[in-house]
Amino acid sequence: MIRTDKRLRLCTALLICNLIFIWGNSLLPGEVSGAFSDWVKSILALLFDSDPNGPSGGGLLRKIAHFTEFSALGALLCWRFGMLGKGKFPAFACGAAAACMDETIQIFVPERGPGILDVLLDCSGVLTGMLLMHLGHTYCKKKSLNHYSEE
């Protein structure tokens, strides 16, 4: 990945924002987190014209949200470590550490608690984000090479 100071600063800023978002949500008490999940669920029900009290619970929505935010983290870590010329394993290790920290934070928050399955879900999100970033970078690189070879 091409490294420039501007790209490195942008990636670092996005990483910090992503971690603030992840850990900020973990600091919310269970009641507040549940109310927010219910609010998002009702918005989605309006958008997709479905029953907000249907079978899909707020727990599933929270799991999808965790997976998504950790996928974004994985993509950002892959981008940053790629620009620094580091391997994929250190990027994944940082993502796994962030997932462990996320669950550790929840030990100290009322009505929240840690879960090993949540760490595994978060780590699978990190891997997915890294894979998507790698595939996207490979595709763009091939497309760019094909473009230059046609000229």
Side-chain angles (χ1 to χ4, degrees):
M1 292 183 195
I2 299 171
R3 176 185 171 185
T4 64
D5 287 339
K6 187 176 182 179
R7 287 180 183 168
L8 197 56
R9 282 193 306 269
L10 173 64
C11 184
T12 302
L14 291 172
L15 261 170
I16 290 168
C17 289
N18 184 265
L19 287 170
I20 288 170
F21 181 78
I22 290 171
W23 292 336
N25 283 326
S26 290
L27 288 168
L28 296 175
E31 184 178 322
V32 175
S33 177
F36 182 70
S37 294
D38 291 343
W39 177 76
V40 171
K41 185 179 168 187
S42 66
I43 297 295
L44 291 173
L46 286 172
L47 287 174
F48 296 106
D49 195 30
S50 64
D51 180 12
N53 299 316
S56 175
L60 176 62
L61 183 63
R62 283 193 295 275
K63 299 299 181 199
I64 292 170
H66 259 259
F67 183 83
T68 303
E69 64 194 16
F70 275 91
S71 292
L73 178 64
L76 290 168
L77 287 168
C78 186
W79 182 24
R80 187 165 201 302
F81 278 79
M83 283 190 287
L84 295 174
K86 307 291 182 190
K88 302 257 188 294
F89 181 76
F92 175 73
C94 287
C100 291
M101 179 61 98
D102 183 50
E103 293 304 312
T104 302
I105 289 169
Q106 293 182 34
I107 293 171
F108 305 102
V109 178
E111 302 168 8
R112 301 290 293 266
I116 191 69
L117 292 178
D118 288 344
V119 172
L120 294 174
L121 177 71
D122 296 345
C123 287
S124 67
V126 169
L127 281 174
T128 300
M130 290 177 66
L131 177 64
L132 291 173
M133 178 60 82
H134 176 75
L135 291 174
H137 179 258
T138 302
Y139 174 78
C140 290
K141 195 173 177 181
K142 279 186 179 181
K143 190 174 180 179
S144 176
L145 288 175
N146 287 340
H147 175 71
Y148 288 117
S149 66
E150 291 173 3
E151 292 180 355

